[in-house]
Amino acid sequence: MPDPNGFLRYDRRLPARRPVPVRISDWREVYPPAGEELIREQATRCMDCGIPFCHDGCPLGNRIPDWNDLVRTGNWDAAVDSLHATNNFPEFTGRLCPAPCEAACVLGLGGQQPVTIKQVEVEIADAAVARDGLRPRPASVSTGRSVAVVGSGPAGLAAAQQLARAGHTVTVYERDDAIGGLLRYGIPDFKLEKQHIDKRLAQLTAEGVRFRTGVDVGVDVTAEQLRAEHDAVLLACGALQGRDTPETPGRALRGVHQAMAHLVAANRVVAAAGDGKPAPATLPDGTPIDAAGKHVVIIGGGDTAADCLGVAHRQGAAGVHQLDLYPEPPTERDAARDPWPTWPWVLRNYPAHEEGGERVFAVAVQEFVDDGTGQVRAVRIAEVTVEKVDGRRIVTALPGSEREIPADLVLLAIGFEGTEEQPLLAQFGVTRNGRGAIDSRPDWQATDGVFVAGDMHRGASLIVWAIAEGRAAAAAIHTYLGGVGDLPAPVDPARQPLAAR
Ligand SMILES: Cc1cc2nc3c(=O)[nH]c(=O)nc-3n(C[C@H](O)[C@H](O)[C@H](O)COP(=O)(O)OP(=O)(O)OC[C@H]3O[C@@H](n4cnc5c(N)ncnc54)[C@H](O)[C@@H]3O)c2cc1C
Ligand code: SF4
C-alpha cells in the first residue's frame, strides 16, 4: 500500500547537477547518479491516486505508480521488470524524455509539484544494468519469418527488439556508420553518453538482431531486394529534413549552417576522441564548424537549439545568443490556456541554459550580414509579433526595432519538415504527405507488407513516441506474419498527445 501522505512529508527534489565550470570542461552527462536514499524518498511522493493520469501522459503507458511503490519499498528487481514490461529503453527516456507524465501527475491538480517520475525511471534503468548487465531474453522458438527494419533510431530498435523476442529474424539497416539514429550523432554526450546505446545494442545482438551499418536503403540495396529477402519491412527513417530559411538575405554566407550539421560534427569528434580531447569539429568536406572563440547565434527555441548551446560552450564559444520567434513563455502553467493534465506552454530551462548565453525572445532575423568576404559577421534582427490567422502564422516586424548581433557562426535550429525525400520512398511506393510524413493505415502499413513508425510517420517528435510507435508497429507486423498471440501495442497510428483543444 503506497504512502498516501508521502507528498506532504517530502518536497520534490532532484539530484544536483554537476557544477557548470566542471561540466562544460568535458562532455560527460550533466547529472550524477541520484543515490538510493533520494530516489526512494521521491518515489514515496507518489500516492497511487487511483486514476493515474500519468499513464495517459506517457505514450508508452508506463506503470508509473507500480514502480514508484516498488522503489519506495526497495524492491528493485520487480521495479526493473515492471518498467521493462512497457518500455524497451528506459535508460534513454529516463535521461531524455521531457516527461509529459509529470505534467499529468495528479499532484499538479492541488498545486503540488509532480513526482520526479523521470528521475525514478532512470534510476531503475541504471539499476537494471548494475544488477544483471541487461540480461538478453532471446526467443525460445524461431518463427522462420524475417523482417527488415530500415533506420536504427529508437523506433527501429524498439521494433527490432520486440520482433526478435517474438521469434522473428530481424535485420536492421542503417546508412550511418553506427547504430542509434539521432541518439548516436544528433544528441550530445552531455545528455546521453553513448555507452548506454552500446550496452543495449549488446543485448539486442545477443537476442539475435542483426545490424548492417553503412547501407543506404534505396541506394546500396533496393526496395525490391529488401522485399525479396524479407517477409515484411518496417520503415523508421526519422524526420531529418531540416527546415531552412532560403529567403533570408545572406543565407548563403560562410558560417551559416543547419544546426544538425554542427551537432553531428561535434558528436563525431567526441566519439572519435574516446577519453581524449576532441579535435575541432569540421563538416565532412573539411569546412570548420567549431564554435571555439566565435560569436555564435542559434536560431530556434527547442531541444536542438539547446543542444547547440551546450555544444558551443563546451567548444569554447566567445559568446552565444539564442533567438526565439515567440515571446517569453510564463514560468507557471496558464490553466485557462493549457489546463491540467495537458502539456503546458511554459518557459523550459534546459541544463544548457545554466551554462551561459543570452536568450532573446520575440525576434526574427531580417538578414545575415556579410563581412565583405562572403563570411557572416552579424545577424540583423527585428522585434516581432506572431499571430495565427486561419491556421497560418503571420509574423510582423515592429518598425524601428532592428539591431545587429555579432555572429561568426549561425546555427539554424528552426525545426524539421518531415522525412527526407530519398530514393527509398518511390521504390517502396510511398509519398510524403503535406507535413512531410508517411501516412499509414490503422495497422501501420504504409503499403502492403511495408510498415512505418516513429518520426517518419509522426513527424519530428520525441523518443518516447518513437519507442511507443516502434512497439505498436512490431505488434502489427507480428500479426501480419501470423505470429502466435499478441504483442503490446501502446498506441495506434492516430493517437495524439493529451490536449485541451
Ligand atoms: C538535436 C536533437 C535533440 C533531441 N533531443 C531530444 C530529447 O532530449 N528528448 C526527446 O524525447 N527527443 C529528442 N529529440 C527527438 C528524438 O531524437 C526523435 O524524436 C527520435 O530520435 C525519433 O526516432 P526515430 O527512430 O523515429 O528516428 P531517428 O532517430 O531519426 O532515426 C532514423 C534513422 O534512420 C536512418 N535512415 C534514414 N534513411 C535511411 C535509409 N535510406 N537507409 C538506412 N537508414 C536510413 C537515419 O540515418 C537514422 O539513423 C531530439 C532531436 C534532435 C534533432
Ligand atoms: S517515458 Fe517519458 S512520459 Fe513515459 S514515464 Fe518516462 S519520463 Fe514519463
Side-chain angles (χ1 to χ4, degrees):
M1 162 77 185
D3 182 344
N5 297 319
F7 69 96
L8 296 174
R9 288 192 286 121
Y10 303 113
D11 288 335
R12 177 183 164 103
R13 285 199 298 143
L14 287 167
R17 294 168 184 154
R18 295 197 296 133
V20 168
V22 177
R23 69 188 200 226
I24 63 166
S25 66
D26 64 35
W27 294 83
R28 307 298 305 273
E29 281 176 9
V30 164
Y31 284 99
E36 181 160 351
E37 194 185 337
L38 174 64
I39 288 307
R40 288 181 65 174
E41 171 198 288
Q42 290 300 303
T44 304
R45 294 187 70 243
C46 177
M47 60 181 152
D48 193 5
C49 50
I51 303 179
F53 279 80
C54 53
H55 282 199
D56 295 320
C58 175
L60 285 164
N62 275 348
R63 301 169 190 162
I64 296 161
D66 291 8
W67 38 260
N68 272 333
D69 198 48
L70 291 166
V71 168
R72 179 183 74 85
T73 51
N75 204 342
W76 286 91
D77 286 338
V80 166
D81 288 345
S82 174
L83 181 52
H84 277 117
T86 54
N87 188 351
N88 298 72
F89 312 127
E91 66 280 21
F92 304 158
T93 47
R95 284 179 168 77
L96 297 167
C97 188
C101 56
E102 294 186 13
C105 174
V106 167
L107 286 183
L109 257 183
Q112 294 275 340
Q113 290 291 311
V115 174
T116 57
I117 298 169
K118 171 178 155 169
Q119 191 65 40
V120 176
E121 180 173 7
V122 77
E123 298 295 330
I124 299 172
D126 289 352
V129 178
R131 267 150 207 267
D132 65 10
L134 297 179
R135 185 168 38 87
R137 287 176 35 206
S140 47
V141 181
S142 167
T143 62
R145 311 306 297 273
S146 151
V147 183
V149 174
V150 186
S152 69
L157 292 181
Q161 184 164 59
Q162 293 296 98
L163 289 165
R165 286 178 173 180
H168 306 295
T169 302
V170 182
T171 308
V172 177
Y173 295 85
E174 170 55 57
R175 69 182 174 194
D176 251 332
D177 59 359
I179 296 291
L182 281 170
L183 305 181
R184 176 66 67 179
Y185 292 131
I187 293 176
D189 285 51
F190 55 82
K191 278 171 62 180
L192 179 79
E193 289 175 13
K194 306 313 167 198
Q195 46 146 328
H196 304 299
I197 309 175
D198 297 336
K199 285 176 185 159
R200 236 353 133 169
L201 294 182
Q203 185 194 42
L204 266 76
T205 304
E207 290 170 352
V209 178
R210 301 166 185 173
F211 293 105
R212 290 191 56 193
T213 52
V215 180
D216 190 344
V217 175
V219 177
D220 301 318
V221 48
T222 63
E224 200 181 340
Q225 287 170 305
L226 227 56
R227 295 190 77 148
E229 284 173 28
H230 302 278
D231 299 306
V233 178
L234 173 65
L235 301 179
C237 301
L240 300 167
Q241 185 63 53
R243 184 167 291 132
D244 213 313
T245 174
E247 69 290 353
T248 307
R251 168 61 185 94
L253 292 174
R254 287 195 311 280
V256 183
H257 298 280
Q258 281 283 346
M260 282 305 292
H262 177 238
L263 291 173
V264 171
N267 287 335
R268 281 187 175 280
V269 290
V270 172
D275 287 336
K277 189 171 166 42
T282 57
L283 297 177
D285 67 1
T287 307
I289 192 169
D290 204 273
K294 293 190 177 144
H295 294 283
V296 181
V297 171
I298 301 164
I299 304 171
D303 275 326
T304 309
D307 289 356
C308 288
L309 179 65
V311 166
H313 282 127
R314 281 161 182 76
Q315 289 178 333
V320 190
H321 284 86
Q322 187 188 339
L323 312 183
D324 200 320
L325 193 60
Y326 293 96
E328 184 167 347
T331 51
E332 299 284 332
R333 180 196 288 274
D334 174 349
R337 182 187 191 278
D338 306 309
W340 176 92
T342 62
W343 180 244
W345 181 63
V346 290
L347 182 66
R348 297 191 197 281
N349 288 314
Y350 297 82
H353 292 118
E354 286 175 358
E355 295 165 1
E358 187 182 334
R359 292 166 94 172
V360 189
F361 292 94
V363 293
V365 175
Q366 308 297 297
E367 181 188 359
F368 303 106
V369 184
D370 194 339
D371 73 350
T373 71
Q375 158 71 37
V376 67
R377 71 160 178 79
V379 292
R380 190 163 52 77
I381 60 170
E383 291 172 26
V384 295
T385 57
V386 185
E387 286 173 289
K388 271 262 166 80
V389 179
D390 298 332
R392 281 190 317 121
R393 193 173 70 179
I394 310 286
V395 180
T396 312
L398 302 182
S401 67
E402 291 193 5
R403 65 187 166 102
E404 281 188 9
I405 297 180
D408 315 302
L409 177 63
V410 179
L411 301 170
L412 305 177
I414 50 180
F416 294 86
E417 292 183 328
T419 202
E420 293 156 292
E421 190 56 64
Q422 53 168 317
L424 157 156
L425 300 184
Q427 289 180 17
F428 278 109
V430 297
T431 46
R432 298 162 84 233
N433 64 21
R435 296 179 301 106
I438 304 299
D439 289 327
S440 79
R441 304 172 196 157
D443 67 356
W444 298 93
Q445 288 188 71
T447 183
D448 292 348
V450 180
F451 297 72
V452 62
D455 279 8
M456 189 177 193
H457 166 257
R458 172 164 291 274
S461 180
L462 297 172
I463 291 158
V464 63
W465 279 101
I467 298 174
E469 291 211 354
R471 287 171 70 85
I477 294 170
H478 182 66
T479 303
Y480 173 82
L481 295 177
V484 177
D486 293 330
L487 297 186
V491 291
D492 63 55
R495 169 90 177 264
Q496 293 298 322
L498 282 177
R501 294 176 284 269

